Amino acid sequence: DIQLTQSPSSLSASVGDRVTISCRASQHINNFLNWFQQKPGKAPKLLIYAASNLQSGVPSRFSGSGSVTDFTLTITSLQPEDFATYYCQQSYNTPRTFGQGTKLEIK
Amino acid sequence: QMQLLQSGAVLKRPGASVRVSCEASGYSFSSYDMNWVRQATGQGLEWMGWMNVVSGDAGYAQRFQGRLIMTGNSSISTAYMELSSLTSEDTAIYYCARGRGGAFVDFFGMDVWGQGTTVTVSS
């Protein structure tokens, strides 16, 4: 199974900050890496698919980059509604593993 | 509006089975796979498996082999997940999520999710 390791596990930031979250795969997954946002009591929401493609309706302050094994989610100019937990997930093969999550908290 | 509507919360005894339904609307049910993902309280997301709602082909994560069955009924655009031999460790929120690619590459990711079904296993 492909293991995904996210860093950091938690992050404190302020409104208006720029933050980056990393995700490393245990083997190559080309660019088949997705990013999800989850708020308490809600289902996950797809933000980025195939490493760098912005899902329809997602604000442009979210962006993704990377390929092969190393990937990054960047949020520019944090908004209050962005404080949530973020997960990466690979869709290169099955089982479609998730990273352990990164909790983004207000400083 | 594309939507997945799941059945309501359930309480089960250890050793019992649970079946969760997931009704699709707003898109062609037969054109996509269905994935199931679960999340224990305070924990991360765990992918359980996928199924092709037309052919019935399915693939399950190793840890669920032998006690997980996914099925579908295209005539009512509904997918089902049945988990047997429940223990307290199966207490979680279960989500269905639309996907593609079967056991292979899914370029577009899981883009539509159900609202989640809470399954509690307790004596």
Side-chain angles (χ1 to χ4, degrees), chain A residues 52-95:
Chain A
S52 61
N53 295 274
L54 193 67
Q55 177 67 3
S56 175
V58 174
S60 59
R61 63 181 179 272
F62 291 92
S63 64
S65 63
S67 65
V68 187
T69 60
D70 290 289
F71 303 87
T72 301
L73 173 70
T74 300
I75 313 171
T76 57
S77 189
L78 273 172
Q79 298 300 300
E81 61 267 28
D82 299 337
F83 293 94
T85 300
Y86 293 84
Y87 294 93
C88 59
Q89 181 240 352
Q90 62 84 14
S91 55
Y92 178 72
N93 64 11
T94 57

Side-chain angles (χ1 to χ4, degrees), chain A residues 1 31-32 34 36 38 41-46 49-50 53 55 87 89 91-101, chain B residues 33 35 37 39 43-47 50 61-62 95 100-111 113-116:
Chain A
D1 297 359
N31 67 333
F32 298 111
N34 310 304
F36 294 88
Q38 188 180 33
K42 299 294 187 181
K45 173 186 175 183
L46 179 65
Y49 64 93
N53 295 274
Q55 177 67 3
Y87 294 93
Q89 181 240 352
S91 55
Y92 178 72
N93 64 11
T94 57
R96 299 205 188 289
T97 43
F98 289 89
Q100 81 277 17
Chain B
D33 300 328
N35 292 271
V37 174
Q39 185 172 39
Q43 303 300 308
L45 300 169
E46 179 178 28
W47 182 84
W50 69 276
Q62 182 67 34
Y95 295 101
R100 302 156 184 82
F104 305 103
V105 164
D106 178 355
F107 180 84
F108 294 100
M110 292 184 278
D111 61 344
W113 290 66
Q115 82 277 18

Side-chain angles (χ1 to χ4, degrees), chain B residues 2-120:
Chain B
M2 297 174 290
Q3 188 174 334
L4 296 173
L5 184 63
Q6 298 184 223
S7 48
V10 294
L11 170 64
K12 292 291 182 179
R13 302 299 183 200
S17 297
V18 66
R19 189 171 87 152
V20 178
S21 66
C22 172
E23 181 181 4
S25 60
Y27 73 92
S28 174
F29 180 72
S30 301
S31 297
Y32 298 85
D33 300 328
M34 194 66 74
N35 292 271
W36 290 87
V37 174
R38 76 177 187 179
Q39 185 172 39
T41 303
Q43 303 300 308
L45 300 169
E46 179 178 28
W47 182 84
M48 299 177 69
W50 69 276
M51 73 163 294
N52 181 302
V53 299
V54 175
S55 68
D57 288 346
Y60 307 137
Q62 182 67 34
R63 65 175 294 176
F64 299 109
Q65 292 280 355
R67 68 184 190 105
L68 175 61
I69 297 175
M70 295 179 185
T71 57
N73 185 336
S74 296
S75 67
I76 56 172
S77 300
T78 301
Y80 303 93
M81 183 280 300
E82 182 168 0
L83 188 63
S84 59
S85 302
L86 293 169
T87 72
S88 58
E89 294 188 351
D90 295 314
T91 295
I93 299 173
Y94 289 76
Y95 295 101
C96 57
R98 186 178 85 166
R100 302 156 184 82
F104 305 103
V105 164
D106 178 355
F107 180 84
F108 294 100
M110 292 184 278
D111 61 344
V112 181
W113 290 66
Q115 82 277 18
T117 297
T118 299
V119 175
T120 303

